[in-house]
Amino acid sequence: MTQPTDPGLKPILRGLRGRCPACGKGRLFSGYLRQEPACSHCGEPTGLIRAEDGPPWLTVLILGPVLAPLSFMVSMKSPAPLWISLIALGAFAIGAVLFLLPRIKGGFIGLLWRMQQKEQT
C-alpha cells in the first residue's frame, strides 16, 4: 500500500486500521469499541478523544443508501421465499454494521486527533 502524499491523512488511515493516530504502531482499541487509555508504543493519550455519535451516524449514512435498494430488489426479485430473503438481508446488514463501526470509529478518532494537533501548533 502506498502512503498518501498528504500527511494529514495519515492519522485518519491509521485510525481506520485500528492503530494509534500518532505513531501507527500501538493498538487504538482494547476491545470491540473500547479505546485504550494511551498508546502502548508512544504513550499518546488517545483514550481521551471522544468520538461520541459520529461513527454510528456515518455508518448508517454509508449503509442506508446500499441496504434500502438492496432490500427492495431482494423483496421483488428473489426466487427464495420472502421471509428467508429478509432474514439473510438482515444478517448481512448486521454483519456490515459490525464490520464497519470500529473502523469508522478509528477514522473519527484519527481525524479528531489530527484536529487537536493542528490547534496546538
Side-chain angles (χ1 to χ4, degrees), residues 7-43:
L9 287 179
K10 282 185 182 180
I12 298 167
L13 294 174
R14 289 172 177 166
L16 287 171
R17 290 191 334 255
R19 298 292 173 197
C20 170
C23 68
K25 305 259 190 244
R27 293 181 54 186
L28 192 55
F29 300 112
S30 61
Y32 177 65
L33 290 175
R34 183 181 308 259
Q35 291 173 237
E36 288 279 354
C39 176
S40 60
H41 188 261
C42 69

Side-chain angles (χ1 to χ4, degrees), residues 72-119:
F72 179 73
M73 290 186 313
V74 164
S75 67
M76 292 294 156
K77 301 199 184 246
S78 176
L82 181 62
W83 67 274
I84 292 176
S85 300
L86 292 180
I87 288 174
L89 186 62
F92 171 75
I94 290 170
V97 167
L98 291 175
F99 177 77
L100 282 178
L101 191 56
R103 286 152 183 80
I104 291 175
K105 183 174 181 178
F108 255 78
I109 291 170
L111 176 64
L112 293 171
W113 180 85
R114 179 177 170 252
M115 290 169 52
Q116 285 178 353
Q117 296 304 311
K118 279 187 146 183
E119 286 177 2

